[in-house]
Structures are given as structure tokens and as C-alpha cells.
Amino acid sequence: MVPVNQKEKFLSQRQRRQPITLPEEFTDEEMFRDWQLSSEDRQELKKYQKRFRLHLAIQICSVRLYGRFLAQVDNLSPRIASHLRQQLNLPAALKIHMPDRKKTSISQLRNILRYLGFRRFDASAKQELESWLRQQAQQRSLPDKLFEQAEIYLFERQVLLPGPTVLERLVIRICSEVHLQLFEAMFEQLSPKFRPMIDQLLIVPEEKRYSEFAYLKAYPPAATVTSIKSYLSRYQTLVDTGIDDYQFPMLTPVFLEYLFKQAKRYNASEIKRFKKHKRYAVMVCFLLETRKLLLDYLVTMHDQYMTNLVRRLKNSYEEKHRECRQRQKIAVDTMLKVCHVLQGLDDDQTFTKAELWKQIDADKFHSSLEEFKAFQRLEEYGYSELLIKAYPTLRKYFPDFLQLPFAAAPGNEDLLDVIQLVRQLDAGELKSLTADAPVSFVPKDLRKLLHDDEGQLKRNAWEMGLAFALKDALRSGDLYLPQSKHHISFWDMTLTELGDQAVDEVLEQPTQEEVDSALTEEFDNVVRLAQESFPMDLFARIQNDELKLKRYTKKSKSPEVDALQKVINSHLPSIRIEQLLLEVDQHIGFTRHFTPVAEHQSKPHHFYKTLLAALLAQATNLGVVAMSNSVEGISLDMLRRVTQDYIREETIVAASAAIVNQHHALPLSSVYGSGEISSSDAQRFGVRASSLLASYYPRYYGYYDKAIGIYTHVSDQYSVYSTKVISCNPREALYVLDGLLENNTVLPIRAHTTDTHGYTEILFALCHLLGFYFMPRIKDLKDQQLYRLDKDQDYGIFSPLLNKTANLALVVEQWNEMLKVVISLRQRVAPAHVVLERLINSFPSDRLSKAFTHLGRIIKTQYILRYITDEELRRRVQLQLNKGEYRHRLPRRIFFGDQGEFATGQYQEIMNKASCLSLVSNAVLYWNTLKINDIVEELRSQGEVVDDETLSHISLLPFRHLVPHGTYFTGLL
């Protein structure tokens, strides 16, 4: 771990148990719950002068709520103050009075504590807390989590919470002491032989530019034979250190990852300056986590290499096919002429070759015959032969790839035997493949050429088939790597136990005994309501047992909306992007979340200006070099230091969430929605550098250029609450749940929509079990297969559409296992996209995946029946998707550097730029909302009628007034 400095406020971004004034829109129920005085309270307050009773009543409620006295009582909501006055029969007043004498005030507060049963944080309480903190730290609780737990510990024991700085220093000191003991214990376990291996990783060899430590930290480039061999070599270097021989049971997975992230922030020379106990302990944690990542990278690289190989070879095959078809024209003409000659002969007429050659050119005939033979072979074996020709290139890395520590899920051990067979062949233990070698894994394209003329197995076709089988098996989880991070056994991604309390409190789902009747009752109700609404909704009709739908007609904007939009656009003042960030920060203070990594004690010179410039360098894609030339007084070194030490994914996410939370509280935001509905969609950006994350996207980037997707979750109030960088290859549906489950804002998301690429049947099931109403816009809706629960039941007008039956019995059978997966997702045991991908690729062989699919079919059918009979639902889906798609225009405006393309291939750099882009777009949204609200209020004050319905159709994201380029901070700061 990085040594913790007691002056470092690394916890300042955490939400602490400090009194917070409730916003104006809190409910009466919340006020009565938190600020209601009991008869005993009122009796106690009668002991004090009448003018001081309100202040003391506030403090009684504050200590009960927060464990601290409220320092700024004047900032308390007037509604709360009025509510307390009424309970105390006090007259209205503009000010909350407190004693002038400090001694009197202290005496009163001491009496309040005594009445409430609280005690001060004295030496005794501090000693008890230190003892408890030490125990928790020894269990590897993280410092920031320990801070929250310490506040809860004191509050539950009715100890008045000390100031955050006091508690923070105490937590940091205890953690420093305990972690030092941990480092010493880990150091003692390391053999003298292992330590020089670590030292070697931190040295820059003469023939290389960087240390091995730096290479191990790097994100992989695109999957080529060279890059795969390079990362296999790095993995072997890591294994050669002997890290596999060490087990550290005192390291929890969360704590291990925490120390790994700390280590990644330093270069080799900085690591070498650590004291030896810490240096070796931190490097051990780095190697343990890096081993997991390298295995994940290698699996992904093999997958990408095989995918790109198929893409390239199929294109080559199609090109040969086209060339062959062009040559066939002459051959076809020749053969048609031959047929014409033969057709003109009488039945009893003899005909010799010589006579044929008089009418047909013999060379043309034989050439045409060869063309037909070539075409026949190309049709039957062309693609297979291309695959086999690629075998020598595959062999350049495949033997080393097969040395990785694979394991098999139950029932798939045969594939491990095949891998072992190849290992023996490569080691010379076997001379050739035997006739009884397994071949069931070989895909059909290669089976045609699997045997030679003598019936012997051809190793090149057989082993190429293994390469494809490995790709598919690793995707589905039939094969896995126990030492990896994401490609582990599926059941290692889920909880081992399923408690009734977890089901009730986390999911609110029926038990296994109740699920059959619960799903049946819900399904029947949906069908019944759809039957009642179907005749009245003209969107759908059933003709010849088929669903027919009307084309969606986009509603034109009303003249009132167009007129209001023009007025707002013309009155929005032009503003430079850095000025906008300054003004938003003055309202919200989002920059307080940009805290440094530990061990950095002082902020650099001109920190605030440099921080904003660094954020803009990321969000605009200018980069720190171009930004240093565009800001006076800010050097390149200053920007690099702030970017490295302050701008991290966790700090950007926290700052962006602060903006979203404040925007949600603005009165105008509620006109656009309650924050309960969201949508997600990917926006593609070109990538110039080689990156494992990048993939081909011919639809917009041609055949040769690659792109990545920035996948954002956008609320009905236009705010972005989740940002993820993804590859363009997999379905976007994989990443829907990540954003929903990682939502760290106050937005109470309950429903979510996507387009067709964002939906699968398994996702329908998972959203249902997690409590989200999933409502995608599905392309070719009329062609969707709908399902019934009972094959013998009459579903009225929908019976012809519900022509297949979902397997409800399988859902009931797997119910507890399904809930185990869902609770694991809720508790973030494993990333949602990894779990979903495994489930999708396991179908249809796995019963659990089939159960999720059949539940998803039931939920999908219910949704489609609602969709085709509920105009309001269709409108909500379309409106929310329009908001998400319209919002894409703003990032294009802001992200103008390098022509809007990423020049880096490093995942962390791309992720930071994408996150900063979302942060700045949220800041633009907040600023726009304030200004639009002012314009609307001004119009209303002049007698103009601007109703909320018209206002809800006005965009909150106009951007023509925003100036994102030029020289920054001129005349500012």
C-alpha cells in the first residue's frame, strides 16, 4: 500500500455522517419522521429559556439523526424550523437564537447529550474506537470503508461523533500501523530467491526502453501473432518469479485489488524508493492481480485473433469466389455450345471427338472443364483450405497458449484431454495423432479435410479446430482459468449460499414454492388487460393469425414548442467551456472530489486552474500537450502531474455524480421526468492506435478502420449517470446491467429502455428479477416469437400469436440458482456483463441458462402485449430513446481534438477521456437548465403563458452557444 500521510484528506469524497439540510422538495412524511419531537422532548425543552428552545430542539433532532450537533443552524430549511416552532408553540421569527455566552451554550449542549444518553468523544471513547479500528483493519477493511464503519460504530454506541478530520487522522494512523505489520508478515514469507526476482522487474534492461514492471502494466494492443507472443512472454516472466508458490490468506480479494491499484500509480523508480517491507509486499500484490489480468488479456486476444482470422479469410474466400464466377462466363458459354451441338444430334447418330473439335475449340473445352472443377472445389473446400493455410501462422503462438493453466467445467473434461494431447505432441512424447483421437470438437468447415487419403487424421485441420473450440469454450465457461479475474468458473462468480433474508430484502421475489402461481397469475393478468385494450388501440391488428403493426408516425412539434425553443436558443448567452465549468463548480463544488493519491501532501502551484485545464484536455481530446499551449501559466509538467495524481476513474465518477445529484434537485428537472426512467446506447468513436479494445465497424468506419463505443446511461432528465468504454463487437445488451447496478447517484431508476441491440431474452429475465422494468424498442416487433404458459389454455384473440410454450417447470426447478445469480449481481460479486455473456454463450446446453431464457421469454411476451396495446408506453419508450440519441450531439461538439478520434489505445486513458466527456456534458446540462429556467421565469413574469407540457418538449442540451475551442482561461483565475 502507498504510505498514508495523516494530512491527506483521501476520504473527503465520501459521504459522511454530517448534518445535511434536506432539500425543499422533501416530503411531509420525511419531515415528521426526522424532525418530530416527542412529549418527553418538549418537557425537557421547557427547562430552558423560550428564546433558546428552537435551537436546542434542532440539536436534539440532529444528534438523533446524525450523531453530531448541527453547526450551521441558520441554513436549516424554513419548513423544518416552522414545523419545530409549531410543536413548541413558539411565535414566528427570522432568526434562530443561541446563547451569547460560550459557557452557557456548552452547558446546554452537555445537558442535551445527557438527556439523549449520548457521551462525548473523550479519551475513553477514543481508546475503545482505536481497539475496534485495529481489529477491523487487521481484517483488511479498506481505509475509506473503515471511516464509514467507524462513524456507524460510534453512533450505535451513542458517542458524539468527532469532526471528520479527527476521525480521518485516527483511521489513517491505525491503518498505517496495521498495514506495516502486514507488509512485514508478507516479507517474512518471501524466500531470499524471490526478492531478487522482484528487484529485476524494476530494472530497465539495456536493450529495452522500460522496465518489465512497466510492460506488465500496459494494456494490450490489437491481437496479432506478435502481440500475443509478447503477452505470453510477459505471463511467463511473471510465472518465473515464483509467484505461484505463494499464498497469502491474510489478503482479501478487495484488499488485494486496492493495493494493486495503488501500485499501478507509480513507476519503477518510485517503487524502488519504498522501504523494503512495503516494496516487496506491494509488488507481490501487483503480481498476483497482474497474473489474473494477463490471463484475461490472453483469452481475449486469442478470441479476437480467431475472430479476425475468420473475417479476413471469409473476405478472401468471397473475393476468390467473385473472380471464379467472372471466369465462369466464358466456360459456361463453351459448355452451352457443347450442349447445343449434342442436342442437335439424332438419337441414332454417332458422333466422334474429332467431329466435336471441328465445332468446338478443344483448348477452350478443356479450359472450361478445369474452371468447373476449380469452382466445384472452391465451393466445397475453398474456405476450409484457407483455414488450414493459416495453421502455420497460428502455430507461432498456439503451443505456448495451450500451456496456460486451463480447467474444465463438469462434463467438459474431454477438451482438457485434447489440450494435453497437443502438449504431448509438442513435447515429442507422441509422434503423431492416433486414429482414436477425439474429433467431436472440430467445426464442420474443417471436418471435410480432417483426414488424408489414407484415413489418417491431419494434425493441421485437427489443431485448427481445437483453436476454434477453445474460443467458444472459454466464452461459454466450459473451459476456464482458475487464476484469472473474469474467465473463472461460473459458480465462483456467484454466492454459495442463498438466505431467505437476502431474497426478501434484496429482491422481494417469491419463493420456489410460490413462483409457479405468481408468474402464472401475472401472465394471465397481462393477457387479460391486453385483451381489453386491444380493440381500442389501433396500433396493432391480427390478420391471418399474424400480427400487423402500423408504422410509427413521428409527432410534429407544436408551433408553441418551436417558438419557445427559438426564444430560448436566442437568449442563451454565449459562453466558453472553461467559464461554464467555473460557474458550475461555484454552484456545486464538484472539484472537491478530485483528491490526490496517497503520499502527495501539497497541491501544485495554480492547482485549481490546472485541474480544470486537465479535465478539459481529456474531455475535448486535446491532450495535455496541446492544452499546455492553449493556457497561459500552465506548463506541461503541471498538467501531467495533476492528470496522474488527481484525475482517476473513481474521482471523475464521484464528481459527475455530484453534478447529476444537484441537477436532479433543480425544479425545472422534474418537468422532464422524475429520474426513474433511463436509456442506454453506444456512441462510436474512431481509434487510431492499436488497441485490444478496438474492433472493426464497417457500417460507419469502413472495412479497415477500427472504433470503440462509449456506452452511456442517460436519465429522463438528460443526465448521464454511467459511462463505460466497450468494444463494438459484442452486443450492447451485455452492458445494460452494469450501468443500472453501478448507479451511484440519487436517481431512483426503475425502468430502462434500449434499442434492439440492447436486448436479449436473458436480459429481460435478469431485469425482472432485479426489479427493473425493461422496455426496449424491438426492431421487427411483428416477427417476434411470443410464448404461452399453458399449451391447452385459450388466450382469446392472442392464441394464434402465443404459438409456443415457455418451460415454466424449468424456471421453477432452477429458481433458487437463478436468485443466487441475481443476488450476486446486486452485491457486485462479479461484473454484470461477464455474468450475462457467460449465460448467453452457455445457452442452450446449460439448464440454468435455459431457465433464464424461458423466464425472459415469459417477461418479453408480457412486455410486447403491453407495448402493442398501450400508446402511453410506446410514447415513453420513444421519447426516452430520442433523449439519449439527441444527447450524442453534445459530446461530438465537445470532443473535437484529433478530429474526434482517440489517438491512444490504452484502456485507462480512453476511459478517463470518456468519463471526463460525460462529466463536462453533465456540467453543460446543469448550466443550461439554470439559464433556461431563468429565461422561462422571465417570460412568465412578462405575462407569457409557458405551461409545463410545452416546456417538457424543449431540449435542455442546446450547444450552439457553447465555445469549446480556442485559448482557455483568458482573463480568468
Side-chain angles (χ1 to χ4, degrees):
M1 174 189 170
V2 178
V4 185
N5 187 287
Q6 294 190 17
K7 294 182 181 180
E8 182 58 66
K9 298 183 181 295
F10 70 97
L11 301 168
S12 60
Q13 71 189 62
R14 293 292 175 185
Q15 183 162 358
R16 299 167 174 175
R17 193 178 283 278
Q18 291 192 42
I20 302 173
T21 304
L22 290 175
E24 283 298 324
E25 58 267 20
F26 64 87
T27 65
D28 290 339
E29 288 78 8
E30 290 174 315
M31 184 168 65
F32 276 91
R33 180 193 65 198
D34 298 335
W35 300 92
Q36 186 71 19
L37 298 172
S38 66
S39 57
E40 291 82 4
D41 295 338
R42 293 193 294 272
Q43 192 64 34
E44 175 68 20
L45 290 168
K46 287 181 180 179
K47 299 177 181 179
Y48 303 95
Q49 293 183 32
K50 202 169 186 178
R51 63 196 303 259
F52 299 142
R53 289 177 189 172
L54 178 58
H55 170 253
L56 295 175
I58 292 170
Q59 301 302 353
I60 286 175
C61 294
S62 178
V63 172
R64 280 181 178 153
L65 274 173
Y66 309 111
R68 285 192 178 100
F69 289 120
L70 182 60
Q72 303 294 330
V73 292
D74 290 334
N75 293 334
L76 189 70
S77 167
R79 282 181 61 197
I80 295 175
S82 176
H83 177 65
L84 290 172
R85 283 194 181 96
Q86 291 175 13
Q87 296 178 74
L88 297 171
N89 294 320
L90 296 175
L94 295 175
K95 188 176 180 182
I96 300 173
H97 295 283
M98 295 178 287
D100 294 330
R101 295 181 64 229
K102 186 175 181 180
K103 187 174 181 180
T104 303
S105 179
I106 292 174
S107 175
Q108 289 179 352
L109 296 179
R110 187 182 293 119
N111 291 337
I112 291 297
L113 286 180
R114 190 181 300 114
Y115 164 70
L116 293 172
F118 272 72
R119 59 191 176 105
R120 287 191 171 276
F121 184 72
D122 52 18
S124 174
K126 181 180 180 182
Q127 186 176 3
E128 293 174 10
L129 179 61
E130 284 188 2
S131 176
W132 180 84
L133 284 172
R134 199 172 299 278
Q135 293 176 3
Q136 299 302 310
Q138 288 170 349
Q139 295 175 15
R140 310 299 168 251
S141 293
L142 300 184
D144 51 356
K145 195 69 176 177
L146 196 54
F147 182 93
E148 297 175 356
Q149 294 172 343
E151 291 189 323
I152 295 172
Y153 173 86
L154 293 175
F155 187 77
E156 289 177 345
R157 284 154 183 78
Q158 293 189 294
V159 176
L160 192 69
L161 299 185
T165 303
V166 173
L167 196 56
E168 198 171 80
R169 288 174 178 171
L170 184 60
V171 170
I172 291 172
R173 179 172 62 80
I174 297 296
C175 286
S176 298
E177 295 172 359
V178 172
H179 293 167
L180 180 59
Q181 295 170 4
L182 169 66
F183 295 153
E184 292 172 350
M186 291 177 64
F187 179 80
E188 293 301 323
Q189 291 189 39
L190 303 180
S191 67
K193 181 182 177 181
F194 182 70
R195 297 169 198 166
M197 300 294 289
I198 290 181
D199 292 335
Q200 195 65 31
L201 297 177
L202 301 173
I203 297 174
V204 180
E206 291 184 2
E207 69 278 7
K208 293 185 178 181
R209 295 179 59 188
Y210 304 104
S211 67
E212 199 64 45
F213 173 67
Y215 286 115
L216 289 174
K217 291 195 297 180
Y219 188 76
T224 61
V225 170
T226 302
S227 63
I228 297 175
K229 287 178 64 177
S230 172
Y231 272 77
L232 283 166
S233 174
R234 294 178 195 187
Y235 173 76
Q236 190 58 47
T237 298
L238 187 148
V239 172
D240 290 343
T241 63
I243 192 65
D244 288 343
D245 298 332
Y246 292 95
Q247 298 292 329
F248 299 94
M250 72 282 284
L251 292 174
T252 64
V254 174
F255 191 74
L256 178 62
E257 186 174 7
Y258 168 72
L259 294 178
F260 165 75
K261 287 181 177 179
Q262 296 291 340
K264 278 195 71 176
R265 294 189 179 116
Y266 294 94
N267 58 38
S269 60
E270 291 170 328
I271 294 284
K272 284 192 288 187
R273 289 198 292 268
F274 291 173
K275 293 182 179 179
K276 66 175 183 177
H277 291 162
K278 178 190 170 184
R279 179 170 71 250
Y280 291 119
V282 167
M283 284 299 296
V284 164
C285 295
F286 171 78
L287 293 178
L288 288 171
E289 283 294 289
T290 300
R291 178 178 60 185
K292 299 177 184 178
L293 288 177
L294 286 177
L295 289 172
D296 281 342
Y297 290 157
L298 287 167
V299 170
T300 305
M301 293 173 88
H302 173 68
D303 189 301
Q304 188 180 100
Y305 177 81
M306 298 304 296
T307 301
N308 289 343
L309 176 67
V310 169
R311 176 179 182 270
R312 189 173 68 252
L313 294 184
K314 282 190 174 180
N315 183 68
S316 178
Y317 171 73
E318 290 295 330
E319 187 175 343
K320 287 187 175 182
H321 206 279
R322 286 193 298 270
E323 292 174 356
C324 194
R325 287 200 305 270
Q326 289 176 354
R327 294 196 302 269
Q328 289 286 310
K329 292 179 181 180
I330 299 176
V332 168
D333 290 341
T334 301
M335 289 303 177
L336 284 174
K337 192 172 182 180
V338 170
C339 294
H340 181 73
V341 170
L342 295 176
Q343 190 179 22
L345 297 176
D346 295 332
D347 292 340
D348 57 350
Q349 184 178 355
T350 58
F351 195 72
T352 64
K353 277 187 180 181
E355 292 174 329
L356 177 64
W357 301 147
K358 290 178 182 178
Q359 301 184 51
I360 304 296
D361 188 287
D363 292 336
K364 280 187 177 181
F365 177 82
H366 291 300
S367 175
S368 299
L369 191 60
E370 291 302 318
E371 286 292 343
F372 280 134
K373 289 180 180 179
F375 186 76
Q376 182 186 36
R377 182 161 187 89
L378 180 65
E379 283 278 283
E380 190 169 355
Y381 300 108
Y383 178 61
S384 303
E385 289 176 339
L386 287 174
L387 285 174
I388 292 177
K389 285 181 180 179
Y391 172 73
T393 305
L394 174 75
R395 282 287 299 174
K396 292 180 180 179
Y397 80 84
F398 200 53
D400 291 333
F401 183 77
L402 292 180
Q403 298 300 318
L404 299 180
F406 295 106
N412 295 279
E413 293 81 3
D414 290 350
L415 210 50
L416 281 183
D417 295 336
V418 174
I419 292 173
Q420 183 59 31
L421 196 57
V422 179
R423 290 172 179 171
Q424 291 175 321
L425 287 168
D426 290 336
E429 298 174 10
L430 291 176
K431 297 299 182 182
S432 61
L433 288 170
T434 58
D436 61 347
V439 296
S440 59
F441 60 88
V442 179
K444 63 179 182 180
D445 286 324
L446 288 167
R447 294 214 175 177
K448 302 172 184 177
L449 300 176
L450 191 56
H451 296 87
D452 59 20
D453 295 337
E454 298 177 357
Q456 296 295 316
L457 283 174
K458 295 165 65 175
R459 181 177 173 180
N460 52 5
W462 184 83
E463 195 169 332
M464 179 63 79
L466 176 60
F468 283 104
L470 274 181
K471 174 178 76 72
D472 295 336
L474 287 166
R475 279 187 178 185
S476 64
D478 293 340
L479 277 187
Y480 60 93
L481 291 156
Q483 295 178 343
S484 69
K485 194 173 186 67
H486 293 153
H487 289 89
I488 57 176
S489 169
F490 180 80
W491 295 111
D492 287 340
M493 299 181 185
T494 62
L495 300 172
T496 55
E497 298 292 334
L498 181 64
D500 293 336
Q501 184 178 6
V503 176
D504 294 338
E505 295 182 1
V506 179
L507 299 180
E508 299 181 357
Q509 292 294 336
T511 63
Q512 190 169 25
E513 294 73 23
E514 302 167 341
V515 64
D516 191 324
S517 58
L519 287 175
T520 301
E521 181 181 358
E522 181 183 4
F523 188 86
D524 290 343
N525 286 336
V526 170
V527 173
R528 178 178 54 81
L529 292 174
Q531 288 173 336
E532 294 173 359
S533 303
F534 188 71
M536 297 177 286
D537 194 312
L538 302 180
F539 175 71
R541 59 189 174 89
I542 298 175
Q543 181 179 338
N544 298 328
D545 294 343
E546 293 182 354
L547 185 64
K548 305 293 183 181
L549 304 176
K550 288 178 60 178
R551 184 182 296 273
Y552 174 77
T553 303
K554 184 178 179 181
K555 290 185 177 180
S556 58
K557 288 185 179 180
S558 67
E560 293 81 4
V561 172
D562 284 334
L564 181 59
Q565 186 74 69
K566 290 177 181 178
V567 170
I568 288 175
N569 291 348
S570 63
H571 282 75
L572 280 172
S574 177
I575 186 170
R576 290 197 53 79
I577 195 167
E578 71 274 18
Q579 177 68 46
L580 184 145
L581 285 185
L582 279 168
E583 293 186 12
V584 172
D585 192 45
Q586 289 169 1
H587 282 88
I588 299 173
F590 67 85
T591 55
R592 72 182 184 276
H593 295 283
F594 290 96
T595 56
V597 294
E599 212 175 41
H600 291 271
Q601 301 178 23
S602 60
K603 292 179 180 178
H605 190 51
H606 294 312
F607 167 74
Y608 186 65
K609 182 178 180 179
T610 308
L611 173 63
L612 293 181
L615 290 174
L616 287 175
Q618 301 289 321
T620 60
N621 201 31
L622 279 175
V624 292
V625 176
M627 181 58 72
S628 66
N629 295 324
S630 302
V631 183
E632 186 178 350
I634 302 296
S635 67
L636 178 59
D637 288 340
M638 293 165 65
L639 283 169
R640 281 178 172 165
R641 178 180 172 185
V642 168
T643 301
Q644 179 180 350
D645 298 341
Y646 292 83
I647 299 180
R648 310 181 302 278
E649 188 173 346
E650 57 266 30
T651 58
I652 304 169
V653 168
S656 188
I659 299 174
V660 173
N661 294 344
Q662 290 297 318
H663 180 263
H664 178 66
L666 295 177
L668 184 56
S669 297
S670 61
V671 172
Y672 292 83
S674 59
E676 294 184 348
I677 302 176
S678 64
S679 60
S680 54
D681 191 23
Q683 186 173 12
R684 272 78 186 186
F685 292 83
V687 179
R688 297 177 181 176
S690 178
S691 176
L692 184 61
L693 189 67
S695 58
Y696 294 105
Y697 199 66
R699 183 176 178 182
Y700 295 115
Y701 290 89
Y703 185 81
Y704 298 102
D705 293 332
K706 292 187 176 183
I708 57 99
I710 298 182
Y711 196 69
T712 51
H713 284 60
V714 180
S715 76
D716 52 7
Q717 298 174 340
Y718 287 97
S719 55
V720 178
Y721 66 87
S722 175
T723 303
K724 201 170 192 69
V725 176
I726 66 172
S727 171
C728 295
N729 270 338
R731 283 182 69 94
E732 295 174 9
L734 295 178
Y735 304 95
V736 170
L737 285 178
D738 288 274
L740 292 172
L741 294 173
E742 293 171 4
N743 176 20
N744 66 334
T745 69
V746 299
L747 296 175
I749 304 298
R750 297 287 180 269
H752 188 77
T753 182
T754 67
D755 58 17
T756 296
H757 293 286
Y759 111 91
T760 65
E761 289 174 338
I762 291 180
L763 183 57
F764 263 110
L766 289 171
C767 284
H768 173 76
L769 293 175
L770 285 163
F772 297 108
Y773 183 31
F774 187 46
M775 44 186 202
R777 180 181 62 191
I778 303 175
K779 186 179 180 181
D780 298 327
L781 185 67
K782 61 183 178 62
D783 299 323
Q784 285 292 312
Q785 177 65 59
L786 303 184
Y787 296 82
R788 58 173 64 206
L789 294 189
D790 186 344
K791 64 179 180 179
D792 299 321
Q793 185 171 339
D794 181 12
Y795 291 100
I797 193 172
F798 296 121
S799 290
L801 302 181
L802 307 177
N803 52 20
K804 286 196 176 182
T805 306
N807 191 343
L808 184 56
L810 180 61
V811 175
V812 174
E813 172 200 309
Q814 296 291 322
W815 187 250
N816 284 341
E817 297 302 323
M818 294 166 71
L819 293 184
K820 203 181 291 184
V821 172
V822 173
I823 293 175
S824 302
L825 290 175
R826 178 70 75 182
Q827 298 183 1
R828 309 297 299 153
V829 176
H833 71 273
V834 176
V835 174
L836 186 57
E837 181 179 34
R838 198 69 66 84
L839 288 171
I840 291 173
N841 286 308
S842 295
F843 180 81
S845 60
D846 180 68
R847 291 187 69 79
L848 179 63
S849 298
K850 288 177 71 175
F852 273 114
T853 300
H854 281 277
L855 176 60
R857 288 170 174 174
I858 296 170
I859 306 304
K860 181 190 77 170
T861 299
Q862 294 176 181
Y863 167 70
I864 291 177
L865 291 178
R866 290 192 186 106
Y867 187 88
I868 64 176
T869 58
D870 187 345
E871 183 179 5
E872 176 60 23
L873 173 59
R874 297 194 297 271
R875 190 194 67 82
R876 288 168 62 196
V877 170
Q878 189 64 43
L879 176 62
Q880 181 56 38
L881 287 174
N882 287 346
K883 289 181 179 180
E885 291 168 1
Y886 182 84
R887 184 236 158 226
H888 287 336
R889 299 167 66 187
L890 177 61
R892 292 290 182 194
R893 171 81 166 184
I894 298 172
F895 198 75
F896 67 88
D898 281 328
Q899 297 179 323
E901 296 182 338
F902 288 97
T904 178
Q906 293 295 313
Y907 170 81
Q908 200 56 57
E909 292 183 35
I910 295 176
M911 187 65 208
N912 282 351
K913 288 189 174 186
S915 298
C916 285
L917 182 58
S918 292
L919 182 149
V920 172
S921 68
N922 280 336
V924 173
L925 171 67
Y926 182 85
W927 189 90
N928 280 357
T929 305
L930 289 178
K931 298 303 177 184
I932 291 174
N933 185 74
D934 291 343
I935 295 170
V936 170
E937 291 303 316
E938 178 64 24
L939 290 173
R940 286 171 173 169
S941 69
Q942 296 173 10
E944 298 287 347
V945 177
V946 183
D947 59 85
D948 286 351
E949 173 60 26
T950 302
L951 192 56
S952 67
H953 294 285
I954 299 300
S955 171
L956 289 177
L957 290 175
F959 52 80
R960 298 298 178 189
H961 60 289
L962 181 67
V963 183
H965 38 68
T967 303
Y968 298 90
F969 296 100
T970 303
L972 299 175
L973 299 177

